[in-house]
Amino acid sequence: MKFGYFDDQNREYVIQTPQTPFPWINYLGNRDFFGLISNTAGGYNFYKDARLRRITRFRYNNIPVDNGGRYYYVKDGDTVWNPGFKPCKTGPDDYECRHGLGYTRITSAKNGVSASLLAFVPLDYNGEVNQLTLKNNTAETKQIQLFSLREWCLWDASDDMLNFQRNFSTGQVEVKDSVIYHKTEYRERRNHYAFFSVNAKIDGFDSQLQDFLGMYNGFDAPQAVLSGSATGSVGDGWQPCASHQINVTLLPDEEKSFIFILGYVEVPEADKWESPHVINKKPALQMIDQFSTDGQVERAMASLASYWERLLRLYRVEIDDEKTARMVNIWNPYQCMVTFNMSRSASYFESGVGRGLGFRDSSQDLLGFVHQIPERARERILDIASTQFRDGGCYHQYQPLTKKGNNDIGGGFNDDPLWLIAGTAAYIKETGDFSILDEQTPYDSNPDDTGTLLEHLTASFNHVVENKGPHGLPLIGRADWNDCLNLNCHSTEPGQSFQTYGTADGRVAESVLIAGMFVAIGPELVELYKRKGLDSKAHEAQQEIEKMRQTVLTHGYDGEWFLRAYDAFGEKIGSKDCEEGKIFIESQGYCVMAGIGVEDGKALKALNSVRDILECDHGIVIQQPAYQTYHSNLGECSSYPPGYKENAGIFCHNNPWIMIAETVLGRGDRAFDLYRKICPAFREEISDLHRTEPYVYSQMIAGKDAGRMGEAKNSWLTGTAAWNFVAISQAILGIKPQYDGLLVDPCIPSVWKEYTVTRVFRGAIYEIHVTNPGNVQKGVRSVTVDGKPLEGNVLPVLGEGAKHIVEVVMG
Ligand code: BGC
Ligand code: NOJ
């Protein structure tokens, strides 16, 4: 069952009912100022950091779900309704929500009045613009009242939820003309405030939530709205909010639009005050000025559209498969931008309070984003690197606002260092910018202790080399990519954090996944050394890689598949000898991607085992059989009920590792089959089961052991976005950036006859037409560039501007 449809022409998903199986959301904002918006106008805003600069409040895990947002109330006689359906839930006569790229438009109608709410964050603007248009579709004059509402968060979203003994007394606002300013803590140490404005004369306001709602009412029945009159309350402690009342007369067929702005302003210390106790409003008024007319809104929307048009033109496929095309050309790159911006910080499953940016998460997000805005990728790589320690280890997470490592979680996740090499290699392959390797970058955010990025990468590599266990495999530390395989934790008391309890320095527990990563990613560093003329370093590193390859074959293979790990007692994990958790997906994916066991059939056997044991209709589960009981030697993965999350859920992040591994073996039919299984556009028809948005990937789909098999959770912020983009764009469609050119090496379903990828690479446009006359899955017979035959299948760097026609014949 579907709840909407894709409008590919407009690059929108159109939701046709407010009552989707779960809030279906979108992201607003491009760089610094962000908003989350659901299909019922719920959500919140923040500046740079969802924890430290939260602007509006959201009430998590509430009932009904999705409480707090950009609420507008229309009072038309005795009927009160919201253009976004919530919070009053007055049945609309008409409803549609269009989530587009960086904007959302919800239109609805009630009793002859229609409303259209457009929400977006203009480019280079620290605010969210809401254009609300009301139209009278009747033959009578309508006298209605419009009330807006935002609830302020007291900046630190964590403290905001916990510390009421203070917070109920600190809130402060100022109201002037049609603008409500939120200035809590501005008089002490903050130099920033927020405002909520409207470009119309107002007939009343509230800035104290309890007065607007009435002490015992909720968002769905505000006293001020029901009575038709704002109270003029001034937020002074308690819960400051911002609400305008506007009395609107609409003649028959008349339409009126109102522009509301939620803005964020930073003021230099010396200019904070206009007069004693009165904040300097100049910067806010300038922002308000930028969007006081519909024409200004229209122009900003046009700029946003061309911004996305430009980004999406960088990789486009034309293919006789509508669903693949819409994912590759629209939604997957869009999600990659969002994951790049947010990492795992703020979604309807991530509170924005805990995670900050993850070291491994952000490094992997780069893989799907780097072609879009390489300059931002460059900056991010250097930021990530600066949270690394001298010994190559690194903070697992850091705060985007301060860019400092997060001490609560610390380090010791031993896969982290290698992802930095992977992210950097992807950046250099995309841009050819080797100069990034020479950038001086701090260790542990200490500007007095720096090394070049290349030295950081060396530290990453050596961290693995210097931390091996009894079998010569990499020590796992707190966990590897699977955050819930906590082999040194041994927790037995409730409440102990699986992520930080126990030691990070166990010298026995080893990870075959990290070994596979080392063999797959290590060669990138070897190549970088060579290009820097560091031949002996390159040689040494290559020897380490070969040694690891042998070690995996000797101690990391279990007959039919790769082992997953050895626990802190030296016992095998992910082995046929285990009762549960006999086989895991991650090591199969990475070891085959590394090419281990390809020559002697071990890789083939491993992928066949994945197919036979782990795969189901909804994708590949992370391991089998699921753990039925808690195992303290394994940690959090065994704490989840069978079929969910890291205990045999379908973790969409590493399904693409298997897709890519299948292309290493040349099995394009398999690769694409796996692509389809977890791809949201292909799952749209079962939206009632899947439940999360059909236009973006979710982290997890419940696996075959789960009571709710096929149901997805944790949509949007997952490395799944980047990895699926890599799988489809590079491994399957086969267009892979290399240090010296663009490799064309498709691995596709044998039934595909042809497709065209238009790829912008280092400034040149390559229009690559692939044909498959012999119905093969892999192999390139001939390539021509602008009519001239090419030796091999690496397209040369052809430089800025021009378009080049490439003909590729498979066979
Ligand atoms: C989640 C993981 C996450 C870990 C640490 C687990 O419950 O399943 O995805 O990385 O918590 O926050
Ligand atoms: C989510 C975390 O953000 C990511 O870093 C981790 O790899 C996966 N969960 C799997 O555990």
Side-chain angles (χ1 to χ4, degrees):
M1 187 183 165
K2 301 202 298 176
F3 299 86
Y5 61 93
F6 286 95
D7 175 349
D8 294 338
Q9 201 61 40
N10 289 306
R11 298 179 176 141
E12 292 170 335
Y13 192 81
V14 187
I15 303 168
Q16 293 167 296
T17 166
Q19 278 152 309
T20 44
F22 198 72
W24 284 2
I25 74 164
N26 193 12
Y27 283 82
L28 314 177
N30 308 286
R31 231 207 128 105
D32 293 332
F33 187 96
F34 295 103
L36 282 66
I37 181 167
S38 68
N39 59 314
T40 55
Y44 57 88
N45 295 85
F46 59 93
Y47 173 75
K48 282 191 182 172
D49 191 313
R51 171 174 172 181
L52 297 175
R53 281 290 186 284
R54 187 70 69 93
I55 294 169
T56 54
R57 187 172 281 158
F58 190 70
R59 292 161 186 278
Y60 316 89
N61 198 6
N62 219 308
I63 42 170
V65 70
D66 187 20
N67 266 310
R70 19 185 99 58
Y71 290 155
Y72 298 93
Y73 300 83
V74 176
K75 180 169 160 53
D76 180 3
D78 287 338
T79 306
V80 177
W81 61 284
N82 312 102
F85 180 64
K86 280 198 73 179
C88 295
K89 299 195 293 170
T90 309
D93 299 335
D94 208 6
Y95 165 92
E96 181 184 90
C97 169
R98 288 178 173 263
H99 284 316
L101 306 184
Y103 68 91
T104 288
R105 190 191 292 278
I106 308 177
T107 51
S108 58
K110 186 79 193 167
N111 297 348
V113 177
S114 55
S116 157
L117 172 64
L118 169 68
F120 73 111
V121 172
L123 296 172
D124 304 316
Y125 189 74
N126 290 330
E128 180 183 317
V129 173
N130 287 182
Q131 183 191 45
L132 180 65
T133 309
L134 298 173
K135 180 161 190 249
N136 179 2
N137 301 309
T138 71
E140 319 278 304
T141 296
K142 284 264 186 188
Q143 303 278 5
I144 58 179
Q145 290 177 311
L146 174 66
F147 293 83
S148 65
L149 179 66
R150 289 294 189 289
E151 185 181 0
W152 302 114
C153 178
L154 306 187
W155 307 119
D156 180 332
S158 167
D159 187 74
D160 185 71
M161 289 189 295
L162 303 173
N163 192 10
F164 311 120
Q165 62 80 25
R166 169 177 163 85
N167 295 342
F168 279 169
S169 293
T170 54
Q172 285 196 298
V173 303
E174 263 179 52
V175 186
K176 176 118 202 289
D177 302 326
S178 300
V179 191
I180 297 157
Y181 298 87
H182 176 223
K183 59 170 189 178
T184 299
E185 292 185 349
Y186 187 77
R187 52 187 288 283
E188 31 145 329
R189 293 156 297 170
R190 294 190 183 272
N191 68 342
H192 53 88
Y193 64 79
F195 66 87
F196 187 43
S197 67
V198 60
N199 66 341
K201 262 190 112 47
I202 58 174
D203 297 287
F205 68 87
D206 271 290
S207 57
Q208 177 61 263
L209 193 66
Q210 291 172 11
D211 292 312
F212 176 75
L213 296 178
M215 192 60 214
Y216 294 98
N217 288 14
F219 288 127
D220 58 337
Q223 201 56 58
V225 178
L226 296 181
S227 71
S229 142
T231 74
S233 59
V234 174
D236 182 21
W238 296 111
Q239 296 146 318
C241 71
S243 171
H244 309 96
Q245 175 185 343
I246 306 169
N247 300 336
V248 187
T249 305
L250 289 174
L251 303 175
D253 287 328
E254 192 183 10
E255 184 175 281
K256 278 188 180 157
S257 99
F258 302 91
I259 301 169
F260 294 87
I261 300 171
L262 180 84
Y264 171 85
V265 165
E266 285 180 357
V267 195
E269 191 61 37
D271 299 329
K272 273 177 75 169
W273 305 100
E274 175 177 307
S275 58
H277 312 299
V278 178
I279 62 175
N280 175 359
K281 304 190 177 58
K282 234 194 247 144
L285 295 174
Q286 274 164 5
M287 282 180 71
I288 292 169
D289 226 37
Q290 280 178 263
F291 292 99
S292 56
T293 68
D294 291 340
Q296 289 168 315
V297 170
E298 218 171 283
R299 281 193 291 281
M301 281 292 288
S303 309
L304 188 60
S306 51
Y307 171 82
W308 274 106
E309 172 66 36
R310 212 167 50 241
L311 292 178
L312 297 183
R313 242 190 271 137
L314 300 172
Y315 191 114
R316 272 193 65 79
V317 67
E318 277 165 69
I319 191 168
D320 184 21
D321 179 334
E322 173 183 74
K323 293 174 180 153
T324 301
R326 71 168 58 111
M327 288 310 296
V328 172
N329 295 338
I330 305 170
W331 292 99
N332 197 354
Y334 182 57
Q335 187 179 6
C336 284
M337 165 73 89
V338 172
T339 56
F340 174 82
N341 284 334
M342 301 286 136
S343 190
R344 307 297 166 264
S345 69
S347 75
Y348 270 33
F349 296 84
E350 300 280 10
S351 67
V353 173
R355 291 271 199 102
L357 301 196
F359 194 100
R360 80 157 80 88
D361 298 324
S362 289
S363 299
Q364 289 172 86
D365 291 343
L366 288 166
L367 306 177
F369 172 78
V370 64
H371 70 292
Q372 291 190 28
I373 311 182
E375 306 74 45
R376 290 192 67 198
R378 189 181 207 272
E379 182 187 337
R380 178 64 55 79
I381 289 167
L382 297 173
D383 283 350
I384 298 171
S386 70
T387 65
Q388 187 173 35
F389 303 115
R390 252 192 185 277
D391 75 356
C394 28
Y395 281 104
H396 195 45
Q397 289 156 4
Y398 73 96
Q399 280 311 121
L401 191 73
T402 61
K403 298 189 175 176
K404 292 228 168 83
N406 179 341
N407 281 312
D408 292 346
I409 183 140
F413 294 77
N414 286 349
D415 63 318
D416 273 335
L418 289 176
W419 295 117
L420 184 63
I421 302 178
T424 305
Y427 167 78
I428 299 177
K429 287 179 178 172
E430 182 64 38
T431 58
D433 171 20
F434 287 90
S435 78
I436 191 174
L437 295 172
D438 303 323
E439 291 286 347
Q440 285 291 331
T441 311
Y443 295 101
D444 196 1
S445 303
N446 178 358
D448 300 326
D449 184 18
T450 67
T452 63
L453 181 62
L454 187 63
E455 284 162 353
H456 278 264
L457 302 189
T458 300
S460 284
F461 188 87
N462 290 342
H463 192 265
V464 177
V465 175
E466 284 154 18
N467 289 284
K468 291 187 194 163
H471 299 93
L473 292 163
L475 292 170
I476 196 167
R478 294 210 176 278
D480 58 26
W481 171 86
N482 186 335
D483 262 345
C484 299
L485 195 60
N486 316 111
L487 305 183
N488 292 305
C489 176
H490 307 288
S491 166
T492 52
E493 295 298 320
Q496 289 167 340
S497 159
F498 291 108
Q499 308 291 308
T500 55
Y501 186 73
T503 176
D505 293 326
R507 305 313 292 179
V508 177
E510 301 168 297
S511 163
V512 178
L513 168 62
I514 303 180
M517 287 174 58
F518 186 78
V519 179
I521 298 169
E524 304 291 1
L525 184 61
V526 171
E527 186 60 31
L528 297 177
Y529 283 149
K530 285 188 188 153
R531 284 166 189 260
K532 284 271 166 193
L534 302 168
D535 289 336
S536 71
K537 283 187 100 134
H539 179 71
E540 279 164 36
Q542 190 58 46
Q543 280 182 322
E544 288 294 345
I545 293 166
E546 287 319 314
K547 204 178 343 164
M548 189 68 82
R549 185 190 301 276
Q550 279 315 316
T551 308
V552 172
L553 288 169
T554 319
H555 296 293
Y557 200 75
D558 200 44
E560 301 281 322
W561 56 78
F562 294 93
L563 285 174
R564 178 63 177 83
Y566 288 91
D567 73 9
F569 309 103
E571 299 291 332
K572 292 175 181 171
I573 295 174
S575 156
K576 57 182 182 310
D577 304 335
C578 303
E579 251 172 61
E580 301 175 328
K582 287 176 188 288
I583 170 172
F584 280 68
I585 188 174
E586 303 98 312
S587 44
Q588 320 312 322
Y590 245 101
C591 291
V592 180
M593 281 161 75
I596 305 174
V598 170
E599 277 149 36
D600 62 3
K602 288 194 173 73
L604 181 67
K605 271 194 198 163
L607 294 191
N608 286 345
S609 301
V610 169
R611 181 193 61 202
D612 298 341
I613 306 174
L614 297 181
E615 195 175 330
C616 68
D617 289 349
H618 300 281
I620 306 166
V621 302
I622 202 168
Q623 121 255 343
Q624 277 292 286
Y627 296 111
Q628 301 295 330
T629 53
Y630 173 61
H631 301 259
S632 64
N633 63 319
L634 301 177
E636 188 171 357
C637 60
S638 63
S639 77
Y640 284 112
Y644 295 101
K645 297 284 274 184
E646 282 89 340
N647 188 12
I650 296 157
F651 236 91
C652 297
H653 186 122
N654 40 39
N655 276 240
W657 296 354
I658 301 293
M659 297 170 206
I660 299 168
E662 288 287 5
T663 67
V664 170
L665 301 189
R667 300 204 293 189
D669 287 325
R670 290 276 307 136
F672 188 70
D673 203 35
L674 294 170
Y675 175 77
R676 229 171 21 194
K677 281 191 169 172
I678 62 162
C679 183
F682 284 91
R683 296 175 63 81
E684 188 196 11
E685 299 288 343
I686 53 163
S687 287
D688 46 337
L689 172 67
H690 184 81
R691 292 190 65 195
T692 52
E693 297 90 335
Y695 39 92
V696 291
Y697 285 96
S698 291
Q699 179 200 51
M700 186 216 47
I701 300 171
K704 44 190 172 180
D705 304 282
R708 307 176 67 100
M709 173 176 176
E711 180 188 75
K713 287 197 190 111
N714 204 351
S715 55
W716 282 96
L717 300 187
T718 161
T720 308
W723 275 107
N724 274 282
F725 192 73
V726 172
I728 187 72
S729 69
Q730 299 189 18
I732 298 175
L733 297 170
I735 313 298
K736 299 178 219 198
Q738 308 283 291
Y739 295 107
D740 299 311
L742 202 51
L743 175 67
V744 184
D745 187 18
C747 185
I748 59 174
S750 48
V751 294
W752 284 8
K753 280 286 172 206
E754 64 168 339
Y755 60 90
T756 303
V757 170
T758 307
R759 175 65 153 97
V760 180
F761 180 66
R762 307 208 193 153
I765 305 164
Y766 298 77
E767 192 181 292
I768 305 163
H769 181 221
V770 178
T771 51
N772 185 19
N775 287 91
V776 301
Q777 297 179 58
K778 194 170 173 145
V780 169
R781 201 168 64 198
S782 69
V783 181
T784 62
V785 180
D786 296 326
K788 290 189 217 80
L790 182 81
E791 189 80 31
N793 54 348
V794 179
L795 309 178
V797 175
L798 294 171
E800 290 292 320
K803 179 165 172 174
H804 304 277
I805 304 296
V806 181
E807 284 292 338
V808 178
V809 182
M810 292 179 69

